[in-house]
Amino acid sequence: VFTVADPSSPTGRRVKLSETAMPVSYYDQAISHTAWDQVDGFSTSGGIMVHLPGSTSAGLPTVLDIGASLDPNSPTVVLDAQTGQRVAHFAELDASASDPTRATLFIRPAQALEYNRRYIVALRGVQDESGEPIAASDAFAAHRDGQAMPDEPSVDDRRPLYSDIFARLSQAGVERSDLQLAWDFTTHSREDVTSELVHMRDESFSMLGEASPNYEITSVEEDFDPRVAYKILGTFEVPLYLDVPGPYSKMQYGPDGLPEPNGVADFEFELLIPASATAEQPAKLLQFGHGLLQLPDEIEGEHHLDFMNQYNYAMFSSVWLSSSTASRVTF
Protein backbone atom coordinates (compact mmCIF):
# COMPACT_ATOMS: atom_id res chain seq x y z
CA VAL A 1 0.00 0.00 0.00
CA PHE A 2 2.90 2.36 0.74
CA THR A 3 4.86 1.43 -2.38
CA VAL A 4 4.43 1.85 -6.12
CA ALA A 5 5.53 -0.35 -9.01
CA ASP A 6 9.05 0.38 -10.28
CA PRO A 7 10.41 -2.09 -12.86
CA SER A 8 13.86 -0.50 -12.61
CA SER A 9 14.39 -1.57 -8.97
CA PRO A 10 15.54 -5.07 -7.91
CA THR A 11 12.32 -5.58 -5.95
CA GLY A 12 10.08 -4.17 -8.66
CA ARG A 13 8.76 -1.63 -6.17
CA ARG A 14 9.60 1.78 -4.72
CA VAL A 15 8.47 3.22 -1.38
CA LYS A 16 5.90 6.00 -1.75
CA LEU A 17 4.82 7.75 1.42
CA SER A 18 2.33 10.60 1.63
CA GLU A 19 2.93 13.92 3.33
CA THR A 20 -0.05 13.37 5.62
CA ALA A 21 1.40 10.06 6.83
CA MET A 22 4.68 11.59 8.03
CA PRO A 23 5.29 12.49 11.68
CA VAL A 24 5.56 16.07 12.88
CA SER A 25 8.41 17.12 15.19
CA TYR A 26 8.15 18.76 18.58
CA TYR A 27 8.77 22.07 16.80
CA ASP A 28 5.80 21.44 14.48
CA GLN A 29 8.03 20.68 11.50
CA ALA A 30 6.75 18.03 9.10
CA ILE A 31 9.30 15.32 8.29
CA SER A 32 10.06 15.02 4.58
CA HIS A 33 9.38 11.66 2.96
CA THR A 34 11.80 12.29 0.07
CA ALA A 35 14.66 10.16 1.46
CA TRP A 36 12.40 7.14 2.04
CA ASP A 37 10.87 7.40 -1.42
CA GLN A 38 14.25 6.45 -2.90
CA VAL A 39 14.38 2.97 -1.38
CA ASP A 40 12.90 -0.17 -2.94
CA GLY A 41 11.30 -1.71 0.12
CA PHE A 42 11.15 -1.80 3.90
CA SER A 43 13.78 -2.72 6.46
CA THR A 44 14.81 -6.33 7.02
CA SER A 45 15.63 -5.64 10.67
CA GLY A 46 13.22 -2.98 11.92
CA GLY A 47 10.29 -3.71 14.19
CA ILE A 48 6.83 -4.10 12.66
CA MET A 49 4.50 -1.51 14.21
CA VAL A 50 0.74 -1.24 14.31
CA HIS A 51 -1.91 0.48 16.41
CA LEU A 52 -4.91 -1.55 17.46
CA PRO A 53 -6.93 0.73 19.77
CA GLY A 54 -7.44 -0.72 23.23
CA SER A 55 -5.14 -3.71 22.74
CA THR A 56 -3.40 -5.45 25.64
CA SER A 57 -0.48 -7.87 25.77
CA ALA A 58 -2.67 -10.76 26.94
CA GLY A 59 -1.83 -13.93 25.02
CA LEU A 60 0.86 -12.36 22.86
CA PRO A 61 4.12 -14.29 22.29
CA THR A 62 6.75 -12.80 24.58
CA VAL A 63 10.52 -12.42 24.34
CA LEU A 64 10.76 -15.29 26.85
CA ASP A 65 8.53 -17.53 24.73
CA ILE A 66 9.30 -16.72 21.09
CA GLY A 67 8.36 -20.25 20.07
CA ALA A 68 4.74 -19.45 20.91
CA SER A 69 4.63 -17.20 17.82
CA LEU A 70 4.81 -20.34 15.68
CA ASP A 71 1.86 -21.92 17.43
CA PRO A 72 -1.13 -22.40 15.10
CA ASN A 73 -3.26 -20.19 17.36
CA SER A 74 -0.79 -17.35 17.95
CA PRO A 75 -2.63 -13.97 17.94
CA THR A 76 0.18 -12.46 15.84
CA VAL A 77 1.37 -14.04 12.61
CA VAL A 78 4.26 -13.08 10.34
CA LEU A 79 4.23 -15.09 7.13
CA ASP A 80 6.87 -15.41 4.42
CA ALA A 81 4.67 -15.04 1.34
CA GLN A 82 7.18 -16.86 -0.86
CA THR A 83 7.69 -19.99 1.24
CA GLY A 84 4.46 -19.96 3.25
CA GLN A 85 6.50 -20.43 6.43
CA ARG A 86 5.81 -18.54 9.64
CA VAL A 87 8.47 -16.20 11.01
CA ALA A 88 9.36 -16.48 14.70
CA HIS A 89 8.83 -13.24 16.62
CA PHE A 90 7.68 -11.70 19.87
CA ALA A 91 5.15 -8.94 20.41
CA GLU A 92 4.86 -6.18 23.00
CA LEU A 93 3.05 -2.92 23.64
CA ASP A 94 5.09 0.27 23.84
CA ALA A 95 5.77 0.58 27.56
CA SER A 96 6.76 4.23 27.21
CA ALA A 97 3.34 5.35 25.93
CA SER A 98 1.79 7.93 28.27
CA ASP A 99 -1.68 7.06 27.00
CA PRO A 100 -2.28 3.27 27.00
CA THR A 101 -5.08 3.63 24.44
CA ARG A 102 -2.54 5.00 21.94
CA ALA A 103 0.23 2.48 22.63
CA THR A 104 1.95 1.03 19.57
CA LEU A 105 2.00 -2.74 19.23
CA PHE A 106 5.51 -3.89 18.23
CA ILE A 107 6.00 -7.19 16.43
CA ARG A 108 9.72 -8.01 16.47
CA PRO A 109 11.06 -10.83 14.25
CA ALA A 110 13.57 -13.04 16.05
CA GLN A 111 16.02 -12.75 13.16
CA ALA A 112 16.56 -10.45 10.21
CA LEU A 113 14.05 -10.88 7.42
CA GLU A 114 15.17 -11.89 3.93
CA TYR A 115 16.09 -9.24 1.39
CA ASN A 116 13.68 -8.65 -1.49
CA ARG A 117 10.93 -10.73 0.06
CA ARG A 118 7.22 -10.20 0.55
CA TYR A 119 5.80 -10.75 4.03
CA ILE A 120 2.25 -10.83 5.38
CA VAL A 121 1.34 -9.80 8.92
CA ALA A 122 -1.95 -10.85 10.55
CA LEU A 123 -3.64 -10.18 13.88
CA ARG A 124 -6.45 -12.27 15.33
CA GLY A 125 -7.65 -12.66 18.88
CA VAL A 126 -5.79 -9.64 20.25
CA GLN A 127 -7.72 -8.75 23.41
CA ASP A 128 -8.87 -5.59 25.13
CA GLU A 129 -8.82 -5.04 28.91
CA SER A 130 -12.03 -7.00 29.35
CA GLY A 131 -10.53 -10.02 27.61
CA GLU A 132 -12.68 -9.63 24.51
CA PRO A 133 -11.24 -9.67 20.96
CA ILE A 134 -10.90 -6.17 19.53
CA ALA A 135 -13.23 -5.45 16.62
CA ALA A 136 -11.75 -4.84 13.19
CA SER A 137 -11.92 -1.36 11.68
CA ASP A 138 -14.77 -0.68 9.27
CA ALA A 139 -12.43 -0.62 6.29
CA PHE A 140 -10.74 -3.90 7.13
CA ALA A 141 -14.05 -5.56 7.97
CA ALA A 142 -15.27 -4.55 4.51
CA HIS A 143 -12.28 -6.36 2.97
CA ARG A 144 -12.59 -9.40 5.20
CA ASP A 145 -16.36 -9.82 4.86
CA GLY A 146 -16.72 -8.73 1.25
CA GLN A 147 -18.88 -5.76 2.15
CA ALA A 148 -19.30 -2.57 0.14
CA MET A 149 -17.87 0.66 1.51
CA PRO A 150 -18.79 3.40 -0.95
CA ASP A 151 -17.40 6.20 1.24
CA GLU A 152 -13.89 4.72 1.13
CA PRO A 153 -12.73 4.11 -2.49
CA SER A 154 -9.42 2.55 -1.36
CA VAL A 155 -11.34 -0.56 -0.26
CA ASP A 156 -12.38 -1.44 -3.80
CA ASP A 157 -8.95 -0.45 -5.12
CA ARG A 158 -7.33 -3.00 -2.82
CA ARG A 159 -9.74 -5.91 -3.32
CA PRO A 160 -7.31 -7.86 -5.57
CA LEU A 161 -4.44 -7.33 -3.13
CA TYR A 162 -6.46 -8.51 -0.16
CA SER A 163 -7.86 -11.50 -2.04
CA ASP A 164 -4.26 -12.67 -2.42
CA ILE A 165 -3.40 -11.89 1.21
CA PHE A 166 -6.42 -13.82 2.49
CA ALA A 167 -5.67 -16.78 0.23
CA ARG A 168 -2.06 -17.06 1.43
CA LEU A 169 -3.08 -16.76 5.06
CA SER A 170 -5.72 -19.46 4.59
CA GLN A 171 -3.10 -21.80 3.14
CA ALA A 172 -1.06 -21.20 6.31
CA GLY A 173 -4.04 -22.08 8.53
CA VAL A 174 -5.09 -18.53 9.37
CA GLU A 175 -8.79 -18.21 8.72
CA ARG A 176 -10.09 -15.05 7.08
CA SER A 177 -13.10 -14.79 9.41
CA ASP A 178 -10.84 -14.60 12.49
CA LEU A 179 -8.77 -11.65 11.30
CA GLN A 180 -8.72 -8.28 13.05
CA LEU A 181 -6.15 -6.82 10.66
CA ALA A 182 -3.76 -8.00 7.97
CA TRP A 183 -1.37 -6.35 5.55
CA ASP A 184 1.72 -7.08 3.47
CA PHE A 185 5.04 -5.41 2.74
CA THR A 186 8.14 -6.06 0.65
CA THR A 187 11.63 -5.77 2.14
CA HIS A 188 14.32 -3.82 0.35
CA SER A 189 17.01 -5.45 -1.76
CA ARG A 190 20.58 -6.03 -0.66
CA GLU A 191 21.71 -3.81 -3.55
CA ASP A 192 19.55 -0.97 -2.27
CA VAL A 193 21.08 -1.23 1.20
CA THR A 194 24.74 -1.63 0.28
CA SER A 195 25.37 -0.26 -3.22
CA GLU A 196 26.12 3.35 -2.25
CA LEU A 197 28.46 2.43 0.60
CA VAL A 198 30.24 -0.20 -1.50
CA HIS A 199 30.63 2.36 -4.30
CA MET A 200 32.13 4.94 -1.91
CA ARG A 201 34.48 2.36 -0.42
CA ASP A 202 35.73 1.12 -3.78
CA GLU A 203 36.10 4.61 -5.21
CA SER A 204 37.97 5.84 -2.12
CA PHE A 205 40.45 2.96 -2.29
CA SER A 206 40.87 3.57 -6.01
CA MET A 207 41.70 7.23 -5.41
CA LEU A 208 44.24 6.28 -2.75
CA GLY A 209 45.95 3.65 -4.84
CA GLU A 210 48.88 2.23 -2.88
CA ALA A 211 49.10 5.29 -0.62
CA SER A 212 47.59 5.75 2.83
CA PRO A 213 45.28 8.63 3.71
CA ASN A 214 46.93 11.86 4.83
CA TYR A 215 46.94 12.10 8.61
CA GLU A 216 48.35 14.17 11.45
CA ILE A 217 49.06 13.05 15.01
CA THR A 218 48.18 15.89 17.36
CA SER A 219 49.04 14.28 20.73
CA VAL A 220 50.53 11.13 22.26
CA GLU A 221 49.85 10.27 25.92
CA GLU A 222 51.89 7.53 27.59
CA ASP A 223 50.45 7.63 31.13
CA PHE A 224 46.72 7.56 30.34
CA ASP A 225 46.06 4.15 31.95
CA PRO A 226 48.20 1.11 32.94
CA ARG A 227 46.34 -0.97 30.35
CA VAL A 228 47.17 1.49 27.55
CA ALA A 229 50.67 1.98 26.19
CA TYR A 230 49.75 5.01 24.06
CA LYS A 231 46.67 7.16 23.70
CA ILE A 232 46.98 8.83 20.31
CA LEU A 233 44.81 11.67 19.01
CA GLY A 234 44.91 13.02 15.47
CA THR A 235 43.10 13.80 12.26
CA PHE A 236 42.86 11.96 8.97
CA GLU A 237 41.75 13.03 5.51
CA VAL A 238 39.00 11.22 3.66
CA PRO A 239 36.96 11.85 0.50
CA LEU A 240 33.86 13.92 1.29
CA TYR A 241 30.63 12.68 -0.24
CA LEU A 242 28.47 15.28 1.54
CA ASP A 243 27.81 18.88 0.61
CA VAL A 244 29.29 20.00 3.97
CA PRO A 245 31.29 18.00 6.57
CA GLY A 246 28.86 18.37 9.44
CA PRO A 247 25.24 18.46 10.63
CA TYR A 248 22.44 19.16 8.12
CA SER A 249 24.61 17.74 5.33
CA LYS A 250 23.24 15.94 2.30
CA MET A 251 24.74 13.26 0.10
CA GLN A 252 26.11 14.47 -3.22
CA TYR A 253 25.21 12.40 -6.29
CA GLY A 254 26.74 12.26 -9.75
CA PRO A 255 25.07 11.76 -13.16
CA ASP A 256 25.17 7.98 -12.62
CA GLY A 257 22.96 8.32 -9.54
CA LEU A 258 25.76 7.20 -7.21
CA PRO A 259 27.49 9.28 -4.50
CA GLU A 260 29.99 11.72 -5.96
CA PRO A 261 33.12 13.02 -4.12
CA ASN A 262 33.05 16.67 -3.11
CA GLY A 263 36.72 17.19 -2.26
CA VAL A 264 38.17 15.95 1.02
CA ALA A 265 37.69 16.71 4.70
CA ASP A 266 39.63 16.12 7.93
CA PHE A 267 38.09 14.21 10.81
CA GLU A 268 39.40 13.50 14.29
CA PHE A 269 40.34 10.03 15.49
CA GLU A 270 41.41 8.42 18.75
CA LEU A 271 43.66 5.36 18.88
CA LEU A 272 44.43 3.34 22.02
CA ILE A 273 47.37 0.93 21.77
CA PRO A 274 47.20 -1.67 24.57
CA ALA A 275 50.06 -2.31 26.94
CA SER A 276 49.94 -5.94 25.81
CA ALA A 277 51.27 -4.85 22.41
CA THR A 278 54.64 -4.00 23.98
CA ALA A 279 55.14 -7.56 25.17
CA GLU A 280 53.27 -9.66 22.59
CA GLN A 281 52.81 -9.76 18.85
CA PRO A 282 51.66 -6.48 17.23
CA ALA A 283 48.12 -5.65 18.29
CA LYS A 284 45.22 -6.30 15.93
CA LEU A 285 43.22 -3.25 14.82
CA LEU A 286 39.60 -2.95 15.94
CA GLN A 287 37.28 -0.14 14.81
CA PHE A 288 34.78 1.09 17.38
CA GLY A 289 31.43 2.75 16.61
CA HIS A 290 30.11 4.93 19.41
CA GLY A 291 26.56 4.78 20.75
CA LEU A 292 23.63 6.96 19.85
CA LEU A 293 24.16 10.61 20.85
CA GLN A 294 27.60 9.82 22.25
CA LEU A 295 31.21 10.61 21.28
CA PRO A 296 34.20 8.48 20.26
CA ASP A 297 35.74 8.69 23.74
CA GLU A 298 33.41 5.85 24.73
CA ILE A 299 36.42 3.83 23.69
CA GLU A 300 37.93 4.75 27.08
CA GLY A 301 35.34 2.77 29.07
CA GLU A 302 36.68 0.32 31.64
CA HIS A 303 35.31 -2.74 29.84
CA HIS A 304 36.93 -1.64 26.58
CA LEU A 305 40.31 -1.09 28.24
CA ASP A 306 40.15 -4.53 29.85
CA PHE A 307 39.12 -6.15 26.57
CA MET A 308 41.77 -4.54 24.37
CA ASN A 309 44.58 -5.28 26.80
CA GLN A 310 43.49 -8.87 27.49
CA TYR A 311 43.07 -9.79 23.81
CA ASN A 312 45.73 -7.46 22.35
CA TYR A 313 43.55 -5.16 20.26
CA ALA A 314 44.42 -1.60 19.27
CA MET A 315 41.03 0.11 19.26
CA PHE A 316 40.34 3.27 17.27
CA SER A 317 37.29 5.49 16.86
CA SER A 318 35.99 8.57 15.12
CA VAL A 319 32.82 10.69 15.23
CA TRP A 320 29.71 9.26 13.59
CA LEU A 321 28.25 12.62 12.68
CA SER A 322 24.53 11.88 12.58
CA SER A 323 24.68 9.84 15.81
CA SER A 324 26.97 11.96 17.98
CA THR A 325 26.28 14.25 20.92
CA ALA A 326 27.76 17.11 18.88
CA SER A 327 25.12 16.58 16.21
CA ARG A 328 22.06 15.96 18.38
CA VAL A 329 20.56 19.12 16.86
CA THR A 330 20.06 17.13 13.65
CA PHE A 331 17.42 15.03 15.38
Side-chain angles (χ1 to χ4, degrees):
V1 169
F2 295 104
T3 60
V4 292
D6 184 355
S8 68
S9 78
T11 64
R13 306 207 64 78
R14 187 74 56 187
V15 170
K16 183 63 175 177
L17 303 177
S18 68
E19 293 183 7
T20 55
M22 300 303 292
V24 176
S25 75
Y26 175 83
Y27 299 102
D28 201 33
Q29 295 293 315
I31 306 300
S32 172
H33 55 84
T34 303
W36 283 272
D37 289 354
Q38 299 174 25
V39 300
D40 64 2
F42 295 93
S43 174
T44 58
S45 56
I48 300 167
M49 297 179 288
V50 63
H51 179 231
L52 205 61
S55 58
T56 66
S57 58
L60 299 180
T62 70
V63 69
L64 299 178
D65 190 14
I66 292 176
S69 67
L70 303 178
D71 187 273
N73 297 316
S74 172
T76 54
V77 177
V78 181
L79 188 70
D80 184 325
Q82 178 173 315
T83 65
Q85 299 298 309
R86 298 190 186 207
V87 177
H89 63 274
F90 66 96
E92 59 182 352
L93 288 170
D94 181 6
S96 68
S98 57
D99 181 355
T101 64
R102 294 177 57 84
T104 297
L105 173 62
F106 290 98
I107 300 172
R108 305 188 188 276
Q111 65 184 52
L113 303 177
E114 297 292 333
Y115 289 108
N116 193 3
R117 189 69 63 89
R118 181 187 177 206
Y119 290 90
I120 296 172
V121 184
L123 307 178
R124 65 221 174 126
V126 177
Q127 301 174 19
D128 61 18
E129 289 187 351
S130 66
E132 294 297 319
I134 295 172
S137 68
D138 291 342
F140 184 76
H143 279 298
R144 182 193 62 196
D145 304 333
Q147 299 171 346
M149 195 173 184
D151 295 336
E152 182 49 69
S154 68
V155 170
D156 283 340
D157 292 343
R158 296 173 188 168
R159 295 277 188 200
L161 170 64
Y162 270 94
S163 292
D164 181 77
I165 289 175
F166 294 142
R168 292 176 187 271
L169 287 172
S170 179
Q171 291 173 358
V174 181
E175 292 305 317
R176 176 172 178 166
S177 58
D178 296 334
L179 292 171
Q180 295 163 303
L181 190 62
W183 70 96
D184 69 339
F185 65 92
T186 298
T187 56
H188 52 195
S189 65
R190 183 185 293 272
E191 298 92 328
D192 187 73
V193 179
T194 63
S195 60
E196 292 189 359
L197 287 172
V198 169
H199 167 75
M200 289 187 282
R201 179 202 66 185
D202 293 347
E203 191 171 60
S204 297
F205 281 136
S206 177
M207 288 188 288
L208 280 173
E210 296 299 320
S212 62
N214 294 326
Y215 67 93
E216 178 182 357
I217 294 177
T218 56
S219 71
V220 178
E221 188 176 342
E222 298 185 42
D223 57 356
F224 169 69
D225 186 276
R227 293 159 291 187
V228 177
Y230 305 103
K231 173 183 174 179
I232 301 173
L233 302 180
T235 62
F236 65 106
E237 181 185 88
V238 295
L240 181 66
Y241 284 87
L242 306 174
D243 54 353
V244 293
Y248 300 108
S249 55
K250 295 181 180 179
M251 188 78 74
Q252 298 295 286
Y253 292 91
D256 58 359
L258 291 171
E260 182 76 9
N262 180 29
V264 295
D266 289 322
F267 291 93
E268 296 177 350
F269 71 85
E270 178 173 343
L271 168 63
L272 300 180
I273 297 178
S276 58
T278 63
E280 302 179 16
Q281 296 294 321
K284 303 174 286 293
L285 284 172
L286 181 63
Q287 182 179 8
F288 173 77
H290 64 71
L292 184 64
L293 298 183
Q294 298 296 321
L295 289 170
D297 60 6
E298 279 188 63
I299 198 175
E300 301 171 6
E302 291 291 320
H303 54 299
H304 292 137
L305 300 182
D306 287 338
F307 172 81
M308 67 177 70
N309 192 43
Q310 180 177 352
Y311 297 102
N312 199 31
Y313 278 102
M315 191 176 289
F316 65 97
S317 62
S318 186
V319 174
W320 289 16
L321 281 177
S322 64
S323 299
S324 69
T325 301
S327 301
R328 66 174 58 189
V329 68
T330 60
F331 287 84

